[in-house]
Amino acid sequence: EVQLVESGGGLVQPGSPLKLSCAASGFTFSSNWLNWIRQAPGKGLEWVASINPDGSSTYYPDTVKGRFVVSKDNAKNTGYLQMNNLRSEDTAMYYCARRQLPDYWGQGVMVTVSS
Amino acid sequence: DIQMTQSPASLSASLEEIVTITCQASQDIGNWLAWYQQKPGKSPQLLIYGATSLADGVPSRFSGSRSGTQYSLKISRLQVEDIGIYYCLQAYSALTFGSGTKLEIK
């Protein structure tokens, strides 16, 4: 059974860093793209980051480029999203999802940026 | 950047009615399109991938179609369990979501 489990969320102050993890199981993690997608409370879905199967290429929208870094450790079947210089507008539920056209999503982890 | 214009923003329909949601891509995205259903407090669930292929376990009353750069999701006979918010997603170049369609039962 394909599973993606996010962790690492919480309440942080503006300007702080936070690192999210996405633990994968039930499929060959090293052969799959990994995406991070977020959803602000009551809002729609927003793409945050993508990484190719071997981790050699990463992609970001302008809204997070230079602040967020996506990575994956294929030996540990785990993906990561390092978020730096967090802003209030980064407050959202963060999901990881596999494949270039995402099929399976995790249950999400909440990140709240507030003083 | 590719834009996805989704309509309508909200939709109220009767049980057993046919429902159609559309997404217009700002440029050619081929078949790099998916549709998702999201229920309150849950993560999105894949319904359609490759514009027209039904995801595993999804009822056959859901279908996807494409006409040029316009993509449609059709629910042939609306059921109570179909209420939720529906999103399209293009993955041809980066990822862009439609703004969502909130589906309610009339």
Side-chain angles (χ1 to χ4, degrees):
Chain A
E1 179 192 5
V2 173
Q3 283 201 322
L4 296 164
V5 179
E6 303 91 341
S7 61
L11 172 63
V12 297
Q13 292 190 334
S16 300
L18 192 66
K19 187 172 185 176
L20 305 182
S21 298
C22 172
S25 61
F27 66 99
T28 306
F29 186 68
S30 59
S31 299
N32 279 268
W33 284 72
L34 186 70
N35 307 286
W36 288 91
I37 293 154
R38 69 185 179 184
Q39 187 170 36
K43 301 298 184 182
L45 299 166
E46 180 188 16
W47 168 61
V48 172
S50 296
I51 186 167
N52 69 343
D54 67 6
S56 61
S57 297
T58 58
Y59 306 87
Y60 309 91
D62 289 343
T63 49
V64 306
K65 195 176 294 182
R67 298 190 300 126
F68 289 12
V69 178
V70 60
S71 61
K72 64 195 307 258
D73 185 334
N74 286 335
K76 294 183 177 179
N77 288 339
T78 302
Y80 304 97
L81 184 67
Q82 175 68 48
M83 303 184 293
N84 298 318
N85 191 21
L86 282 163
R87 306 166 179 168
S88 58
E89 55 264 37
D90 296 318
T91 293
M93 182 72 76
Y94 284 74
Y95 299 98
C96 61
R98 75 163 193 177
R99 290 202 172 154
Q100 203 166 357
L101 188 62
D103 54 0
Y104 284 90
W105 299 50
Q107 83 288 351
V109 63
M110 188 68 200
V111 173
T112 303
V113 184
S114 175
S115 55
Chain B
D1 293 1
I2 297 175
Q3 309 301 317
M4 300 300 295
T5 303
Q6 184 171 343
S7 61
S10 63
L11 181 54
S12 181
S14 302
L15 292 176
E16 304 290 322
E17 190 174 332
I18 296 173
V19 169
T20 301
I21 299 168
T22 63
C23 271
Q24 178 70 49
S26 60
Q27 65 184 72
D28 178 32
I29 60 169
N31 288 328
W32 284 92
L33 184 110
W35 289 97
Y36 302 89
Q37 176 195 64
Q38 187 177 32
K39 299 198 176 223
K42 300 292 188 182
S43 56
Q45 298 295 306
L46 179 67
L47 300 172
I48 301 289
Y49 64 95
T52 60
S53 298
L54 194 66
D56 289 345
V58 176
S60 58
R61 62 180 180 275
F62 290 90
S63 64
S65 64
R66 171 193 175 188
S67 176
T69 57
Q70 181 165 291
Y71 300 81
S72 298
L73 173 71
K74 186 173 86 170
I75 308 173
S76 60
R77 293 173 59 189
L78 188 65
Q79 304 296 304
V80 171
E81 59 266 31
D82 298 336
I83 61 171
I85 302 177
Y86 291 79
Y87 295 94
C88 65
L89 167 68
Q90 73 78 22
Y92 179 81
S93 173
L95 299 182
T96 311
F97 289 91
S99 53
T101 296
K102 186 174 184 180
L103 177 59
E104 298 173 328
I105 302 294
K106 190 181 294 182

